[in-house]
Amino acid sequence: MINAQSPYIRLISSSDQTVGIEDTVDFEVYFSEAIALSGVPPYLELSNGAQAQYVSGAASQQWLFRYTVAENDISSEQLSVSDMVLGDDTQLLSFLGNGSASTTVSERLQALSTYDVRVDTVRPEGVISFDTDSLSAGEVANVTITFAEPVLDPSLALLVDNGSISSLVTEETSALGTVWKGVFTPSQGVELSDYSLQLDNRLVRDYAGNTGVSITQSAPVMIDTLGPVAQISSSITATGERVYTFDFGELVSDLDVNDIVVSNGVKVSDSFETVVAGQVYRVTVTPPNNDIQSANGEVIVGLRRGSTRDAVGNINSSQSITESWDVVAPRIVGVNAISGAY
């Protein structure tokens, strides 16, 4: 039997897969018979403009070509082989003497190639948003992280301080993995005018295995979970009484004299006054029994928890100041000497 037909490409195959940047795709080219290679190896031109380079197979029917996905390659939902490109001095010759091999990749051949290869060269980058622009004690905020494509759970990529965030869940009303939601709870005792959540996209991975390259952050929100804190100071009058001043440094709801507590002293209720409206208050405290000479020990003056609120509704914590009634420095009142020889 005489076989005078020139050799040709019978089939091109690959594995069904989704690949990302730096991944590889192997294409196996099957000729109708064993082919010898002379000159520079050919390459496969792909539908996204990239190339699969020759790896091995010369002198056989099955040749291997490999495509390595590069950063700037075009993404493709269905990658295919468009052509086999030969160099100027390249020859693919039949071992059976049937001449040069045909390298035409026809539409019929593309139809026979049933592999499904998806190329994704888009790096993930999330956009973070809060559903509020301010938070006070007892409040929480819903956080939404949106991507242009599905990604794996990005929880570990969130940089969270001055608070905590719940486990993220993907929103089912959109493509799974593109929108993630959680609840942010601010820490107590925090006062920040421009707090932002950050997302390290380098730790975010899409379904093709690509990772991001930058850090994104949310628009700033104000956090105030710090209740009013008074700076308590005192002075001593000429008669030995103590005058205590409570300066909150911010506007608070009116303080009442009954919210001031005194231990080992007597609060003079009638002396209570507002020095600066909604901010600075003053009260006088006398020693027990109003006896300056016999006063001893420590006097404690403070505020009850919840005595007042700041502009966003945070309540104060209990606080106090402790001082000694005895403020007279020790002095020598006499010197006695015993006579004798020493």
Side-chain angles (χ1 to χ4, degrees):
M1 181 179 69
I2 299 175
N3 180 7
Q5 182 180 10
S6 297
Y8 60 93
I9 298 175
R10 190 178 65 192
L11 180 68
I12 301 176
S13 71
S14 185
S15 301
D16 294 347
Q17 56 193 303
T18 296
V19 292
I21 299 168
E22 298 182 359
D23 287 340
T24 59
V25 181
D26 286 348
F27 292 94
E28 293 176 327
V29 177
Y30 294 87
F31 288 94
S32 57
E33 59 181 270
I35 299 297
L37 170 63
S38 174
V40 177
Y43 65 84
L44 300 181
E45 188 174 86
L46 306 178
S47 58
N48 69 340
Q51 299 175 359
Q53 302 299 325
Y54 169 81
V55 177
S56 62
S60 71
Q61 287 182 261
Q62 181 180 339
W63 289 28
L64 176 64
F65 292 80
R66 180 165 296 147
Y67 164 47
T68 300
V69 183
E71 178 87 31
N72 297 320
D73 286 354
I74 299 173
S75 295
S76 174
E77 288 298 320
Q78 190 165 9
L79 186 69
S80 61
V81 176
S82 302
D83 198 5
M84 178 181 285
V85 181
L86 306 182
D88 292 339
D89 63 344
T90 302
Q91 295 186 64
L92 305 185
L93 302 172
S94 166
F95 271 111
L96 301 178
N98 293 325
S100 298
S102 170
T103 58
T104 301
V105 180
S106 65
E107 292 183 2
R108 174 181 175 275
L109 179 59
Q110 289 178 338
L112 290 173
S113 302
T114 57
Y115 55 86
D116 184 6
V117 177
R118 177 177 177 270
V119 178
D120 178 4
T121 58
V122 177
R123 292 190 179 276
E125 183 171 333
V127 177
I128 315 171
S129 62
F130 284 96
D131 67 348
T132 184
D133 57 8
S134 64
L135 287 166
S136 58
E139 294 182 335
V140 297
N142 292 316
V143 176
T144 302
I145 309 173
T146 305
F147 296 88
E149 60 175 333
V151 300
L152 303 177
D153 186 350
S155 294
L156 295 179
L158 278 174
L159 307 177
V160 183
D161 58 1
N162 293 300
S164 61
I165 194 166
S166 65
S167 297
L168 297 179
V169 294
T170 182
E171 190 180 69
E172 296 183 0
T173 57
S174 56
L176 290 179
T178 58
V179 178
W180 295 82
K181 294 196 170 186
V183 177
F184 174 76
T185 303
S187 300
Q188 295 301 303
V190 174
E191 198 168 39
L192 298 169
S193 60
D194 56 353
Y195 176 78
S196 295
L197 273 179
Q198 293 186 326
L199 179 73
D200 189 344
N201 291 290
R202 296 170 298 181
L203 302 178
V204 177
R205 192 176 297 276
D206 64 17
Y207 288 178
N210 299 318
T211 57
V213 295
S214 63
I215 294 178
T216 54
Q217 62 182 27
S218 67
V221 298
M222 184 187 75
I223 297 179
D224 184 358
T225 59
L226 178 64
V229 177
Q231 296 297 321
I232 307 175
S233 59
S234 70
S235 60
I236 303 175
T237 68
T239 58
E241 298 170 328
R242 301 291 177 89
V243 178
Y244 287 88
T245 300
F246 302 83
D247 186 348
F248 289 95
E250 63 177 324
L251 290 178
V252 298
S253 59
D254 283 341
L255 185 69
D256 188 274
V257 66
N258 294 318
D259 294 318
I260 299 174
V261 293
V262 178
S263 176
N264 195 30
V266 178
K267 175 176 57 182
V268 182
S269 297
D270 292 344
S271 70
F272 181 76
E273 62 177 330
T274 299
V275 180
V276 178
Q279 183 171 328
V280 183
Y281 302 87
R282 186 178 292 154
V283 71
T284 299
V285 175
T286 64
N289 302 319
N290 201 25
D291 185 354
I292 299 297
Q293 299 302 320
S294 63
N296 56 52
E298 294 178 328
V299 56
I300 303 173
V301 177
L303 295 172
R304 292 191 178 93
R305 181 179 185 276
S307 300
T308 188
R309 296 177 180 270
D310 63 16
V312 296
N314 298 316
I315 64 172
N316 70 292
S317 299
S318 61
Q319 61 177 120
S320 63
I321 183 173
T322 301
E323 297 179 313
S324 174
W325 275 119
D326 184 2
V327 294
V328 178
R331 60 190 177 87
I332 298 174
V333 296
V335 177
N336 295 319
I338 300 175
S339 61
Y342 300 94

